[in-house]
Amino acid sequence: MKLLPRNLQALWHQCGRGHCLNHSQLLRQSFHTTSPLAVIKPFLLSDIGEGIKEVQIIQWFVKPEARVEEFDKLCEVQSDKAAVDITSRFAGVIKKLHHEPEDMAQVGKPLCDIDVLGEIDPGDKTLLESTSEQAGSPTTPQQPQKAAEQQHSQPNGEINPPNAPKAASNSKHSSLATPAVRGLLKDLNINISEVTGTGKDGRVLKEDVQNHTAAPASTPIPSSSPSPALSHSRTAEAETTLPLTPIQSQMFKTMTRSLSIPHFLYTDELNVTALSSLRYQLNNHPSQTDQPKLSYLPFIVKALSLALNTFPILNARIDTDTDPSQPHLILRSVHNIGIAMDTPQGLIVPNIKNVNTLSILSIASEINRLQSLALASKLTPTDLTGGTITVSNIGSIGSTYVAPILVNTEVAILGIGKKRIVPAFDEEGNVVKKQAMNFSWSADHRVVDGATVARCAEVLRGFVEQPECMAVRLR
């Protein structure tokens, strides 16, 4: 008896009362007393950069008691940058989802609990106990068994075998759609489970929603004479309350923070006639057949990078976190230039990394890559974080002038207007056609003065109006 643990000695003595247990049964009895905390780990929302503290849950790809493998998708979240898929870092069984779709999840807090069939560290155990206390129902050894019984039991009392095929579910966990489509569903007051998805893995597309709303429905035949109430409703003003989309919600927070930055605006007109001619020659050169077509934007982005070499303060950021009473200016050696892009989901700003080391062709290829990923909502956190200065090409839509707004991680932004044909005088005084663009700068007036912006704008003008000067400085 000295070889047995104390908690097994009572069971051993039961042999004398007709309840004989052998040694292997005792060991199994001992293992059954192990707490389930030893196999459940909380899956924490990792830091996705750029000071983001919370994200919105768009949809779950899993549900409780579902098996997941490493790198399987758990959920889709929306930050103020873009929608991102969160994948599992380990394999196991989903035990609990801590958030519903549309909830806000905090960075560093649990998203879900996963049974990983392994030991749990003290930090994870503390998180599990705290979340269980908040829910008002501590985790017990019987919970997994009850969940399994509920999963396989039917209303008529029949029990499904564990390997029986499950019926297709229209729950929120199996309904897939992009944030834009979900916003459209909210606007039309349509439950996503009522729409048949035709996209990949049953994803609901915009066309599916349109087809659903266009489906014929049985409606009563109106009477020949309009009722007074109907006549009154035609003239009354109607107001519709719409919730903000995930990107709009994050944009609201980001732009609200930007209100604390005193903006300095500087606008000038640039002659892009020579640049337009060079661009036409390059796009029609035989060597360019396998290269992307060059727009004005890659030239401007490269010219901006060259100008930042002379004025590095415009590539800096203000550090107020280390010592709020004594802010510091952090100069950055790399030029990660953000490109504002209009997508079906809203405005996002991915950035081109290390522009100071790239050629104009490489910049053009990177812009095309980011644009394709943005339209497909496939941008990664790496694409969306680490920007040092931004270019907003609002002229591609049609604007001439713009007053761009800064974000709190940058001190300057450049807005580009549309190209226009305007009359001008040549050196002999003759009226000629000139191709012009308006460049609009905004800078943080707490650390950048107007003279610095004006001098940098003049350097940029020289590279854009005389692109051969830019060519001799390319690496």
Side-chain angles (χ1 to χ4, degrees):
M1 289 299 295
K2 293 182 179 180
L3 298 178
L4 291 175
R6 290 184 178 180
N7 63 339
L8 299 183
Q9 292 181 10
L11 295 174
W12 181 264
H13 286 297
Q14 290 178 2
C15 292
R17 294 190 294 271
H19 302 286
C20 185
L21 300 173
N22 58 36
H23 192 268
S24 63
Q25 289 175 319
L26 288 173
L27 291 179
R28 288 197 298 270
Q29 188 78 17
S30 174
F31 288 134
H32 289 170
T33 62
T34 303
S35 170
L37 285 176
V39 296
I40 298 178
K41 293 181 72 68
F43 183 90
L44 306 183
L45 176 60
S46 302
D47 184 7
I48 57 179
E50 289 293 299
I52 295 173
K53 300 300 182 183
E54 63 180 6
V55 296
Q56 186 175 25
I57 304 293
I58 301 300
Q59 60 180 331
W60 284 99
F61 300 120
V62 296
K63 56 184 177 181
E65 302 303 324
R67 175 74 186 180
V68 295
E69 302 296 336
E70 191 175 2
F71 304 118
D72 281 357
K73 292 193 294 185
L74 297 178
C75 64
E76 182 183 17
V77 302
Q78 177 71 57
S79 69
D80 60 346
K81 301 295 183 179
V84 178
D85 290 338
I86 303 298
T87 58
S88 179
R89 294 189 294 273
F90 32 74
V93 177
I94 301 296
K95 288 300 180 182
K96 180 180 179 181
L97 304 181
H98 289 274
H99 301 280
E100 297 291 333
E102 311 300 332
D103 287 354
M104 300 303 295
Q106 302 295 320
V107 171
K109 299 296 183 181
L111 281 177
C112 59
D113 294 342
I114 302 179
D115 186 342
V116 296
L117 303 179
E119 294 299 326
I120 188 170
D121 58 42
D124 290 342
K125 182 176 180 179
T126 302
L127 282 170
L128 276 173
E129 291 174 348
S130 64
T131 54
S132 298
E133 291 173 359
Q134 292 174 0
S137 57
T139 304
T140 63
Q142 288 78 17
Q143 285 180 351
Q145 181 179 357
K146 290 181 180 179
E149 292 173 355
Q150 294 174 359
Q151 181 179 0
H152 300 302
S153 62
Q154 300 297 323
N156 57 6
E158 297 179 0
I159 304 297
N160 285 340
N163 297 328
K166 298 181 181 179
S169 171
N170 289 329
S171 70
K172 62 196 174 187
H173 303 290
S174 58
S175 299
L176 308 180
T178 63
V181 174
R182 288 181 175 273
L184 179 61
L185 289 168
K186 284 185 179 181
D187 296 345
L188 299 176
N189 196 22
I190 298 176
N191 192 326
I192 190 172
S193 62
E194 300 174 358
V195 183
T196 302
T198 60
K200 183 180 179 181
D201 298 327
R203 183 179 292 270
V204 176
L205 307 177
K206 181 179 179 181
E207 292 75 12
D208 299 330
V209 179
Q210 294 173 341
N211 294 336
H212 178 81
T213 56
S218 57
T219 56
I221 301 176
S223 59
S224 57
S225 59
S227 63
L230 181 60
S231 300
H232 175 72
S233 64
R234 290 174 179 171
T235 58
E237 179 182 359
E239 294 184 352
T240 304
T241 301
L242 298 177
L244 297 180
T245 65
I247 284 186
Q248 287 174 329
S249 298
Q250 300 299 333
M251 188 186 303
F252 179 88
K253 298 176 183 179
T254 302
M255 292 296 100
T256 300
R257 291 193 295 266
S258 296
L259 290 175
S260 62
I261 303 175
H263 285 54
F264 170 80
L265 182 63
Y266 179 90
T267 301
D268 200 2
E269 182 179 276
L270 277 67
N271 185 349
V272 296
T273 304
L275 180 59
S276 178
S277 176
L278 174 62
R279 171 177 166 267
Y280 177 83
Q281 295 176 32
L282 292 175
N283 283 334
N284 290 276
H285 195 274
S287 63
Q288 290 293 110
T289 54
D290 59 342
Q291 299 293 337
K293 289 294 183 181
L294 294 171
S295 65
Y296 292 96
L297 189 56
F299 294 94
I300 296 172
V301 169
K302 187 62 182 181
L304 174 60
S305 177
L306 294 175
L308 292 177
N309 291 331
T310 307
F311 299 93
I313 189 175
L314 298 182
N315 195 56
R317 67 177 179 89
I318 301 176
D319 178 19
T320 57
D321 297 330
T322 304
D323 185 2
S325 63
Q326 188 66 38
H328 292 81
L329 201 60
I330 308 298
L331 299 180
R332 297 179 281 198
S333 60
V334 297
H335 301 165
N336 297 339
I337 299 182
I339 307 296
M341 294 183 177
D342 180 41
T343 71
Q345 292 77 34
L347 174 67
I348 56 177
V349 188
N351 61 83
I352 307 170
K353 299 290 192 293
N354 300 306
V355 174
N356 45 314
T357 65
L358 299 180
S359 67
I360 293 176
L361 278 177
S362 298
I363 295 171
S365 299
E366 186 67 3
I367 291 175
N368 291 341
R369 183 188 72 85
L370 294 174
Q371 184 70 55
S372 299
L373 293 176
L375 293 176
S377 298
K378 297 297 183 181
L379 288 169
T380 66
T382 302
D383 296 324
L384 294 162
T385 57
T388 59
I389 190 172
T390 299
V391 174
S392 176
N393 187 20
I394 194 67
S396 61
I397 299 176
S399 174
T400 303
Y401 304 97
V402 63
I405 301 176
L406 290 163
V407 294
N408 59 357
T409 57
E410 300 174 5
V411 299
I413 182 174
L414 173 63
I416 304 172
K418 67 178 180 180
K419 186 189 72 171
R420 299 170 295 123
I421 305 297
V422 297
F425 293 98
D426 61 13
E427 296 179 355
E428 286 77 24
N430 301 316
V431 177
V432 295
K433 292 193 301 183
K434 180 179 75 171
Q435 300 183 48
M437 281 185 180
N438 285 88
F439 282 22
S440 302
W441 297 76
S442 285
D444 190 336
H445 215 355
R446 295 175 298 179
V447 294
V448 180
D449 55 48
T452 300
V453 175
R455 292 188 182 100
C456 183
E458 285 301 307
V459 172
L460 179 64
R461 174 201 294 276
F463 292 139
V464 172
E465 294 188 344
Q466 297 177 294
E468 63 274 11
C469 296
M470 178 169 53
V472 299
R473 287 172 172 80
L474 297 180
R475 297 180 181 178

